[in-house]
Each structure stands twice: as C-alpha cells, then as structure tokens.
C-alpha cells in the first residue's frame, strides 16, 4: 500500500487527527472518538498504521491481566512531502480532497452529537471567504498562516486545552486573467485558411 492510499482513508485520517499534539491513546479511547465505526474496524486501521510506521506503541501496561497499549503518532512519518504533492494527478487530488472532507464531516457530526456540544461557546467556525490575491500575496498569506499555526502544533494536551481541528483550504476559483490571456501554442490553434 502506498503512503497516499494509507493515509487517504477517513477512519485512518481521524485516528491521526486524534493523536495530534503528542497524544497517547488506547484503542478503546480511539473507538470512543470514532463511534460510528465498529471496534473491529478501528483495530484493523490501527494495525495498518502501526504496520506502516505511522503509529507506534508508546507504552504498554497491564490492566486486569491484559496488556493495554498506548499508541503515539510518528509525526516524521505522517507528512505528505512537497515531492509527493507534485507527483499527484488531478484524480489523486480529487480522492484526497474527498477523503479529507469525509473525515472533516464525520468529525463535525461527532462533535455535534455530544450532549455538551455548544458551537457558540466553542467558537466553532466554518466560514468561507473569496479573496483576490496575486501569487505573491498568496505566498505571504500561506506564510502568515504557517507562522500562526506551526508553534501551536507542539502544544501538548492539558486539562485547560480542548483539541480543535483546523482545516485551511485554499484553491483558485477561476483562472487568473494573466493565465487566461496567454497565447496558445500552434498545436492548440485552429489551422488558418
């Protein structure tokens, strides 16, 4: 199984989200985070992630005669690098985006299904903004977002912290005028009479 196929699955993606911030979780805790999946399904996906080096057994302890494993995410192995992104086909992008949206929708539904869910108090947001940006302005915006987000990725779970799922998404809605006005090559032009 290649790396993209491994991580581009809604259940495995949700397991990886749950493990963020250096969190160590048991299969029982992960099953509670993904209530719509059977225990056997969650176990199978954990085994795949462990077998492929994305998760690791961080500690084991005896509980009522059985060994309870706490898993951790290997951040160094759970990254889609620039080289891989460049190699993706449009169909790969469609599939990865659909998987990400499926996982996001499942996470949001799980949140709303909690008795104590309070979107106003929890400052839930899902706004979309259409921005006009030059390539340089887009580069600057991405750099500013990374600068704001990156230090917080190292935050560890504490009693006063809640885990939030942040999903920045950006893509051009239409071709830029500059790209649209570029002359076509001879192969694309109609033959002259």
């Amino acid at each position: 199984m290649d790396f993209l196929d491994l991580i581009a699955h809604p259940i495995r993606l949700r397991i990886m989200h749950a493990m963020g911030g250096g969190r160590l979780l048991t299969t029982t805790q992960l099953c509670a985070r993904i209530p719509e999946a059977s225990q056997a399904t969650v176990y199978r996906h954990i085994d795949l992630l462990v077998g492929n080096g994305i998760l690791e057994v961080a500690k084991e302890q005896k509980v009522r005669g059985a060994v309870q494993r706490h898993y951790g995410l290997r951040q160094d192995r759970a990254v889609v690098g620039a080289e891989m992104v460049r190699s993706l086909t449009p169909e790969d992008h469609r599939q990865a985006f659909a998987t990400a949206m499926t996982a996001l929708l499942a996470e949001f539904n799980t949140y709303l299904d909690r008795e104590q869910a309070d979107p106003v108090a929890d400052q839930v947001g899902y706004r979309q903004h259409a921005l006009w940006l030059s390539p340089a302005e887009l580069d600057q915006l991405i750099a500013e977002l990374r600068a704001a987000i990156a230090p917080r990725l190292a935050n560890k779970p504490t009693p006063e912290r809640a885990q939030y799922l942040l999903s920045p998404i950006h893509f051009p809605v239409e071709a830029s005028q500059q790209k649209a006005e570029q002359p076509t090559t001879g192969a694309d032009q109609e033959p002259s009479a």
Side-chain angles (χ1 to χ4, degrees):
M1 175 177 295
D2 76 6
F3 180 73
L4 189 61
D5 287 337
L6 178 66
I7 66 167
H9 186 282
I11 303 264
R12 292 191 288 272
L13 197 54
R14 291 184 67 200
I15 290 168
M16 292 167 56
H17 289 162
M19 309 298 283
R23 201 172 205 191
L24 303 180
L25 297 174
T26 65
T27 47
T28 301
Q29 291 168 318
L30 286 165
C31 287
R33 284 284 298 254
I34 309 169
E36 72 279 5
S38 71
Q39 187 177 13
T41 297
V42 174
Y43 273 75
R44 188 174 63 252
H45 289 294
I46 289 169
D47 285 345
L48 266 173
L49 291 168
V50 169
N52 285 278
I54 305 296
L55 294 183
E56 64 186 353
V57 177
K59 74 176 190 178
E60 294 180 329
Q61 65 187 51
K62 288 233 181 207
V63 177
R64 291 178 293 230
V67 175
Q68 184 180 57
R69 291 182 178 91
H70 290 77
Y71 297 94
L73 180 66
R74 292 196 49 198
Q75 291 288 352
D76 61 320
R77 300 288 308 268
V79 175
V80 177
E83 186 175 320
M84 179 177 286
V85 171
R86 282 191 291 275
S87 73
L88 298 179
T89 66
E91 194 53 42
D92 292 334
H93 281 287
R94 279 187 192 91
Q95 182 60 44
F97 187 82
T99 299
M101 293 302 98
T102 300
L104 184 61
L105 183 58
E107 293 279 8
F108 193 65
N109 284 331
T110 298
Y111 161 74
L112 289 176
D113 289 342
R114 289 186 216 137
E115 262 185 52
Q116 72 277 21
D118 186 344
V120 174
D122 293 334
Q123 299 184 45
V124 170
Y126 41 85
R127 295 173 187 87
Q128 293 180 340
H129 306 280
L131 308 174
W132 291 93
L133 301 169
S134 69
E137 290 167 331
L138 178 59
D139 287 345
Q140 181 181 355
L141 176 62
I142 291 170
E144 290 168 358
L145 288 170
R146 284 181 179 152
I149 296 168
R152 290 164 177 86
L153 293 174
N155 286 356
K156 302 289 184 214
T158 64
E160 68 273 2
R161 283 186 176 140
Q163 188 182 41
Y164 281 78
L165 188 57
L166 181 64
S167 299
I169 299 168
H170 52 87
F171 55 89
V173 180
E174 58 187 44
S176 72
Q177 288 300 319
Q178 186 178 24
K179 288 181 183 177
E181 294 171 0
Q182 290 179 347
T184 57
T185 65
D188 296 329
Q189 295 175 351
E190 292 182 23
S192 55

